[in-house]
Amino acid sequence: ATENNRLADLLSLNFINAQQGHTPASRLFILMQGLSVFLASFLLLVILYQFILRYVLRRPIGFFRLLTGLSSACFYSGIFLLLSALLVRSSFFSAILTLMAAFAVHILAQGISLPAITGLDDNRVFILQLTVLLIFTGIISLILNLALPVIDALLRQVIII
């Protein structure tokens, strides 16, 4: 019965309860939420690469081949992002620099793995990366611009109509 109560408590958490609580369940919820956002953004990036490769460059490369090929870039940038999240409490400037390093490592790892996956030369890989990252940044900024007022209202506990 206590296991069911713990699971129900974990599943009933929302962002506000996790922000206010200092229990291990709320910390676990925030960790799961961060991992899911990271994985969703990685999948969005892979989908954008597949879309551009298939319909613009006319190279039918499978989704799972792209997913496995770009997973190393995701892994290395994930390590730097986790380090950046841990550095936020100590030094905000160090966290920002580590975040920029994560972005640089991600781009470099993609630049190494994309020619092996696609068979394109370096110039076309650079243009592919630039195009996909510009579209990806636009989509992420659009999502953030739509979501931040809702999150701000939830944090202030204001009713949105």
Side-chain angles (χ1 to χ4, degrees):
T2 60
E3 293 295 323
N4 289 336
N5 291 338
R6 287 183 189 165
L7 183 62
D9 288 343
L10 183 63
L11 293 177
S12 68
L13 283 174
N14 58 23
F15 190 70
I16 301 302
N17 292 337
Q19 285 281 334
Q20 294 173 351
H22 297 289
T23 64
S26 65
R27 292 182 186 147
L28 181 64
F29 174 75
I30 291 174
L31 177 69
M32 289 188 320
Q33 190 176 19
L35 286 175
S36 64
V37 167
F38 179 71
L39 289 176
S41 65
F42 174 64
L43 288 176
L44 175 66
L45 190 66
V46 172
I47 289 170
L48 285 174
Y49 270 117
Q50 186 180 21
F51 180 77
I52 296 292
L53 282 168
R54 179 169 289 174
Y55 296 113
V56 176
L57 297 177
R58 307 227 184 259
R59 295 206 180 238
I61 296 174
F63 179 75
F64 290 110
R65 184 173 176 201
L66 273 173
L67 187 69
T68 57
L70 295 176
S71 64
S72 62
C74 176
F75 175 72
Y76 292 125
S77 67
I79 290 173
F80 277 89
L81 288 174
L82 185 61
L83 182 64
S84 174
L86 294 174
L87 287 174
V88 167
R89 289 186 180 236
S90 64
S91 171
F92 186 72
F93 184 70
S94 296
I96 293 295
L97 287 178
T98 309
L99 190 65
M100 291 181 353
F103 188 65
V105 165
H106 187 75
I107 289 174
L108 288 173
Q110 280 183 6
I112 292 170
S113 63
L114 276 174
I117 298 169
T118 61
L120 297 172
D121 60 344
D122 290 338
N123 292 333
R124 290 182 66 112
V125 166
F126 177 74
I127 292 171
L128 174 67
Q129 276 186 299
L130 182 67
T131 305
V132 168
L133 289 177
L134 283 174
I135 294 170
F136 178 73
T137 306
I139 291 172
I140 294 296
S141 66
L142 177 69
I143 290 170
L144 286 177
N145 281 330
L146 292 174
L148 284 179
V150 175
I151 292 172
D152 185 43
L154 283 173
L155 288 174
R156 293 181 187 190
Q157 296 180 353
V158 176
I159 298 174
I160 300 175
I161 298 177

